[in-house]
């Protein structure tokens, strides 16, 4: 008998998770975003893979529904790459849970992702992952405000110097 | 006549782990068929549910996932807490009955209550240890009692880290505590330490200090057990029918012990020591049954030490004579004035350029007038061990004693503090001393204690 921790990736649990994901379609359909059953299953598998890959374990419903519902109203997604986009978001989420040393709650992290994605990244997942969230994670690790950006500070400083010159 | 029929236990208690009691009990029960596969599956499922609940409490509901190592820690803590409760039951059968008939969550709650009570027990023993603390210079002993348990009583966390031991325990007991974790480990350690303190309290603290100084002058920096040495000395005194309180041995006493014990085989020796221990317990009027049991249990270890001491003719390292480090040396030795640097440099250059050792000896005899210069030359002279031995032959016993005191052979760990030439000189001196007749060596070594180099 083994007491090793394991992920509940058996058929029944996955099926339940898929049906929970599909339930979100009722809300996202208003934004013309719908997942097929196959895509929902793929998303659940991505979650299991990411958890294993990043050395995490999850109990309960998970964060897929939260991600779907939070990002439903973003102007930068269309049905065309919806499933692929969600898969990437789930992976990014778990990666940054580790990178922020679990100091951020699920809701806060998803909200930050949404804020930057819709804001400065203008729909670019690469910019979100490699620039904004990396900086945010570094700030969190250093105990700074997650929004702190020394680049903006130096820009402000340069502007102030320009004003002085004038 | 009524013969009560006792139910044969299916599970062998010896196979159960003290540290991982619950897991080992489940394993054994499953292997022996006392727990059906369906039941064990239920237990696993409920354990995972308990883990999920605890994880949610751990993250305060703010995160649905945690890192695997955190989940493993929480799981280990939960299983430890359940194990604590099961251990508190009368026997293994009762524990199995509870596993089968109670939800795991309930067992965890019961265990949690037991844990809280156990912390009070740990506190009780800690207070007893502090009250019975021995006045000693041993750093490990003092810091373990004064500081070592602070983290435990301040930050032991029974919700998620019950199986951990947040304490800095340096002092070694006669019987190390093994196969226990968390608060159980701390209770056992403190309980044993209390018994050791209790035994030492039958002797004067200053005498114990002298015994330990006889064991090693630098005992305050060692991690060795004090009670073991005191008990050994007390046993030696008991074997000699000498008064126990002084814990002292003269060379004559040691010879007497050697004669008395050397013909025994190890098993016979243990019997002798056991008899002596029982007499000792009676003479000291020890009443605490746990202390008596503890002392008797340490006899096999002590027997092995005594047996080795007899075999290697080093009984004085087992039954150590007392030594008072505060006694001032009664001989003050002046090393003499060193020759001027310029003359010394010329001398060393000439010394090193000599082809034959006879020439080197001639230089020494002609130019070296003080032990200070001799010491410098022995270090700088790059001498082989045979050559060094011939130079040492020129010295008086007191001069050898001074050199031994100033240049004892340091273990490899300290070697970093010395140059290669100094280490070579120490090795040469040590080899020379070892080759001396035993009487002369003893005389020189006794001089080293009485000498103070000025």
């Amino acid at each position: 008998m083994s007491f090793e921790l394991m992920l509940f990736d058996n058929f029944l649990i996955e099926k339940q998770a898929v049906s929970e994901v599909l339930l979100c379609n009722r809300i996202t359909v208003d934004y013309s975003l719908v997942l097929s059953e196959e895509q929902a299953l793929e998303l659940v598998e991505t979650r299991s893979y990411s958890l294993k890959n990043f050395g995490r374990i999850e109990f309960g419903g998970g964060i897929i529904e939260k991600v779907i519902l939070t990002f439903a109203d973003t102007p930068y997604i269309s049905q065309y790459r919806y499933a692929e986009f969600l898969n990437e978001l789930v992976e990014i989420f778990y990666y940054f849970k580790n990178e922020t040393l679990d100091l951020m709650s699920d809701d806060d992290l998803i909200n930050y992702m949404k804020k930057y994605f819709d804001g400065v990244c203008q729909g670019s997942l690469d910019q979100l992952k490699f620039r904004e969230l990396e900086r945010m994670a570094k700030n969190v690790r250093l105990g700074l405000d997650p929004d702190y950006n020394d680049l903006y500070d130096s820009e402000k400083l340069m502007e102030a110097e320009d004003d002085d010159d004038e | 006549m009524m013969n009560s029929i006792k139910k044969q236990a299916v599970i062998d208690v010896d196979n159960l782990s003290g540290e991982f009691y619950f897991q080992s009990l489940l394993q054994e029960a499953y292997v022996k068929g006392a727990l059906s596969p369906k039941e064990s599956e239920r237990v696993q499922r409920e354990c995972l549910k308990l883990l999920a609940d605890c994880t949610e409490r751990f993250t305060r509901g703010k995160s649905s996932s945690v890192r695997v190592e955190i989940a493993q820690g929480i799981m280990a803590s939960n299983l430890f807490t359940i194990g604590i409760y099961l251990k508190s039951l009368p026997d293994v059968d009762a524990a199995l009955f509870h596993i089968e008939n109670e939800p795991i969550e309930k067992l965890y709650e019961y265990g949690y209550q037991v844990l809280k009570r156990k912390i009070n027990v740990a506190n009780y023993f800690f207070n007893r240890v502090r009250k019975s603390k021995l006045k000693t210079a041993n750093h490990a002993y003092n810091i373990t009692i004064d500081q070592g348990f602070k983290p435990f009583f301040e930050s032991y966390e029974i919700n998620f880290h019950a199986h951990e031991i947040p304490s800095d325990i340096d002092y070694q007991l006669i019987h190390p505590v093994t196969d226990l974790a968390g608060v159980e480990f701390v209770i056992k350690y403190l309980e044993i330490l209390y018994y050791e303190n209790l035994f030492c309290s039958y002797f004067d603290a200053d005498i114990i200090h002298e015994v330990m100084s006889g064991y090693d002058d630098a005992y305050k920096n060692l991690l060795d057990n004090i009670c073991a040495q005191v008990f050994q000395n007390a046993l030696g005194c008991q074997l000699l029918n000498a008064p126990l309180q002084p814990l002292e041995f003269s060379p004559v006493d040691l010879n007497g012990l050697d004669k008395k014990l050397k013909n025994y085989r190890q098993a016979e020796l243990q019997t002798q020591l056991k008899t002596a221990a029982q007499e000792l317990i009676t003479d000291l009027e020890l009443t605490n049954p746990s202390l008596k049991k503890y002392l008797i249990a340490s006899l096999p270890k002590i027997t092995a030490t005594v047996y080795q001491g007899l075999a290697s003719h080093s009984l004085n390292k087992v039954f150590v004579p007392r030594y008072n480090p505060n006694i001032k040396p009664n001989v003050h030795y002046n090393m003499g004035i060193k020759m001027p640097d310029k003359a010394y440099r010329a001398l060393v250059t000439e010394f090193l350029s000599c082809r034959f050792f006879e020439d080197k000896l001639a230089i020494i005899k002609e130019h070296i007038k003080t032990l200070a210069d001799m010491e410098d030359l022995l270090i700088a002279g790059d001498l082989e061990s045979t050559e060094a031995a011939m130079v040492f032959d020129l010295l008086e016993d007191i001069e050898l004693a001074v050199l031994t005191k100033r240049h004892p052979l340091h273990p490899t760990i300290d070697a970093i503090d010395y140059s290669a030439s100094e280490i070579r000189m120490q090795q040469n001196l040590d080899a020379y001393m070892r080759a001396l007749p035993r009487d002369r060596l003893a005389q020189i070594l006794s001089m080293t204690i009485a000498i103070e180099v000025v």
Side-chain angles (χ1 to χ4, degrees):
Chain A
M1 212 166 81
S2 164
F3 263 86
E4 279 174 15
L5 295 172
M6 53 195 168
L7 297 171
F8 300 101
D9 55 354
N10 60 50
F11 179 70
L12 274 176
I13 289 173
E14 277 197 354
K15 203 175 166 186
Q16 193 190 343
V18 168
S19 63
E20 279 170 12
V21 170
L22 288 174
L23 274 179
C24 297
N25 281 344
R26 289 186 187 175
I27 295 165
T28 56
V29 73
D30 293 345
Y31 304 96
S32 306
L33 298 169
V34 176
L35 285 173
S36 68
E37 200 172 332
E38 200 179 305
Q39 286 169 332
L41 180 64
E42 194 191 350
L43 198 52
V44 171
E45 281 171 357
T46 302
R47 182 189 72 158
S48 303
Y49 171 78
S50 302
L51 284 169
K52 199 175 170 187
N53 200 20
F54 297 125
R56 299 184 69 82
I57 185 164
E58 188 164 71
F59 302 98
I63 50 91
I64 299 178
E65 294 84 43
K66 278 184 189 169
V67 170
I68 291 175
L69 297 178
T70 309
F71 278 83
D73 64 349
T74 177
Y76 297 104
I77 316 175
S78 64
Q79 177 63 34
Y80 170 57
R81 289 184 63 200
Y82 182 45
E84 190 187 327
F85 168 76
L86 286 178
N87 280 314
E88 280 202 51
L89 276 183
V90 167
E91 265 196 60
I92 289 172
F93 172 83
Y94 287 117
Y95 176 74
F96 281 101
K97 274 300 271 190
N98 276 359
E99 287 296 295
T100 53
L101 310 176
D102 286 306
L103 293 169
M104 283 190 105
S105 70
D106 289 355
D107 291 346
D108 284 351
L109 181 55
I110 292 171
N111 289 334
Y112 269 105
M113 286 165 68
K114 173 77 176 0
K115 182 177 139 189
Y116 290 126
F117 183 74
D118 285 355
V120 287
C121 300
Q122 298 185 11
S124 164
L125 277 176
D126 280 352
Q127 282 195 22
L128 176 71
K129 186 178 175 182
F130 296 115
R131 195 182 70 192
E132 297 306 323
L133 290 180
E134 281 291 355
R135 178 179 54 74
M136 186 270 300
K138 191 178 159 192
N139 286 343
V140 169
R141 288 197 300 268
L142 293 174
L144 302 170
D145 185 276
D147 284 324
Y148 173 72
N149 192 341
D150 51 0
L151 187 67
Y152 296 152
D153 278 1
S154 50
E155 274 174 9
K156 273 183 196 165
L157 199 71
M158 282 163 72
E159 276 171 20
E161 279 174 2
D162 289 346
D163 291 344
D164 288 347
D165 290 344
E166 282 168 20
Chain B
M1 197 171 85
M2 290 281 287
N3 279 334
S4 60
I5 298 171
K6 198 182 169 192
K7 194 183 163 193
Q8 186 74 32
V10 183
I11 292 167
D12 187 0
V13 183
D14 295 338
N15 289 343
L16 300 181
S17 156
E19 192 176 350
F20 307 104
Y21 186 78
F22 182 42
Q23 294 97 308
S24 61
L25 179 60
L26 286 175
Q27 182 109 25
E28 276 292 298
Y30 186 73
V31 170
K32 298 274 166 69
L35 204 66
S36 67
K38 202 175 163 188
E39 269 297 304
S40 67
E41 207 173 288
R42 177 192 65 86
V43 170
Q44 278 197 71
R45 217 174 31 246
E46 287 189 22
C47 283
L48 286 169
K49 189 181 171 299
L50 178 65
L51 174 64
D53 294 344
C54 288
T55 308
E56 196 176 342
R57 270 194 289 130
F58 181 79
T59 62
R60 296 195 186 91
K62 287 182 176 174
S63 180
S64 61
S65 62
V66 288
R67 275 177 286 127
V68 169
E69 50 271 28
I70 287 175
Q72 278 170 336
I74 295 172
M75 183 69 140
S77 171
N78 290 348
L79 299 178
F80 173 79
T81 308
I82 295 169
I84 285 249
Y85 171 65
L86 297 175
K87 271 193 217 176
S88 71
L89 296 171
D91 56 24
V92 179
D93 289 337
L96 263 183
F97 179 81
H98 274 74
I99 292 172
E100 282 171 340
N101 295 293
E102 296 263 18
I104 292 298
E105 204 178 336
K106 272 271 170 242
L107 296 183
Y108 176 78
E109 278 171 25
Y110 297 149
Y112 191 81
Q113 296 308 322
V114 177
L115 260 182
K116 278 186 184 170
R117 289 201 295 274
K118 291 226 172 216
I119 292 174
N120 291 336
V121 176
N123 228 325
Y124 166 79
F125 274 114
F126 184 54
N127 284 329
R128 300 298 294 259
V129 165
R130 276 203 302 199
K131 276 183 190 164
S132 60
K133 191 182 162 212
L134 183 67
K135 275 184 192 162
T136 176
N138 188 268
H139 188 60
Y141 177 86
N142 288 329
I143 204 159
T144 298
I145 297 175
D146 295 341
Q147 312 275 334
F149 290 96
K150 258 188 193 166
F152 177 80
F153 290 109
E154 281 171 7
S155 62
Y156 181 55
E157 214 282 307
I158 58 173
N159 286 302
F160 310 113
H161 306 103
H163 62 301
E164 290 176 5
I165 312 162
S167 44
D168 306 317
I169 299 170
D170 294 331
Y171 184 65
Q172 307 293 310
L173 302 170
I174 300 179
H175 298 295
V177 180
T178 53
D179 201 26
L180 287 176
V183 69
E184 283 191 311
F185 174 91
V186 173
I187 290 174
K188 190 74 190 166
Y189 182 91
L190 287 170
E191 189 186 351
I192 294 180
L193 186 55
Y194 169 62
Y195 295 143
E196 292 193 357
N197 282 356
L198 203 60
F199 179 72
C200 290
S201 70
Y202 283 85
F203 300 91
D204 187 73
D206 292 333
I207 289 178
I208 293 177
H209 173 63
E210 288 180 19
V211 168
M212 291 311 292
S213 299
Y215 170 73
D216 194 314
D217 205 8
Y219 88 97
K220 64 179 178 182
N221 297 323
L222 298 181
L223 291 174
D224 288 334
N225 185 276
I226 298 171
C227 179
Q229 192 54 55
V230 173
F231 185 42
Q232 260 168 227
N233 268 30
L235 277 177
C237 292
Q238 189 69 46
L239 285 167
L240 286 167
N241 288 323
L244 292 173
Q245 290 303 330
L247 295 172
E248 175 63 313
F249 300 99
S250 65
V252 180
D253 293 338
L254 290 172
N255 271 337
L257 274 174
D258 191 57
K259 272 182 195 160
K260 188 174 180 180
L261 303 175
K262 71 179 174 190
N263 295 323
Y264 290 126
R265 281 178 293 174
Q266 198 162 348
E268 294 166 336
L269 189 61
Q270 186 159 336
T271 317
Q272 286 291 316
L273 288 173
K274 194 172 178 183
T275 314
Q278 273 155 353
E279 286 167 6
L280 174 84
I281 286 167
T282 316
D283 288 358
L284 287 176
E285 294 171 5
L286 301 183
T287 48
N288 189 317
S290 304
L291 172 60
K292 287 186 212 170
K293 209 173 147 188
Y294 183 71
L295 291 176
I296 296 291
S298 64
L299 283 176
K301 216 173 182 178
I302 293 178
T303 307
T305 316
V306 175
Y307 192 72
Q308 253 180 351
L310 286 165
S312 58
H313 303 290
S314 55
L315 213 54
N316 61 335
K317 302 282 176 201
V318 182
F319 303 113
V320 294
R322 274 162 51 190
Y323 165 64
N324 187 347
N326 298 326
I327 291 175
K328 294 273 181 216
N330 47 18
V331 179
H332 295 272
Y333 187 89
N334 193 333
M335 295 276 285
I337 300 166
K338 289 186 182 188
M339 69 173 76
D341 286 350
K342 198 176 172 187
Y344 176 71
R345 274 199 294 277
L347 181 81
V348 171
T349 313
E350 193 186 345
F351 187 85
L352 291 174
S353 63
C354 286
R355 190 172 170 192
F356 300 107
F357 183 66
E358 288 72 25
D359 300 335
K360 290 183 180 178
L361 270 182
I363 290 173
I364 289 173
K365 282 177 185 167
E366 193 179 336
H367 296 287
I368 301 295
K369 305 292 181 205
T370 64
L371 191 60
D373 285 335
M374 177 66 100
E375 183 188 39
D376 286 346
L377 194 66
L378 280 166
I379 292 169
D382 251 356
L383 296 170
E384 297 292 325
S385 60
T386 45
E387 294 173 347
M390 289 170 80
V391 179
F392 291 134
D393 275 339
L394 300 174
L395 300 176
E396 301 282 330
D397 281 0
I398 192 155
E399 290 167 331
L400 285 171
V402 170
L403 284 180
T404 310
K405 187 162 183 136
R406 284 173 61 82
H407 300 280
L409 182 62
H410 291 275
T412 328
I413 197 162
D414 291 338
I416 197 163
D417 296 332
Y418 300 92
S419 67
S421 315
E422 279 174 298
I423 292 168
R424 180 183 295 175
M425 189 266 189
Q426 288 169 11
Q427 285 167 342
N428 287 342
L429 181 59
D430 186 64
Y432 177 77
M433 297 290 280
R434 279 172 194 277
L436 290 178
R438 280 179 77 176
D439 294 345
R440 190 175 167 213
L441 178 65
Q443 199 183 340
I444 293 173
L445 289 179
S446 65
M447 276 182 192
T448 58
I449 297 167
I451 281 179
E452 188 185 5
V453 182
V454 290

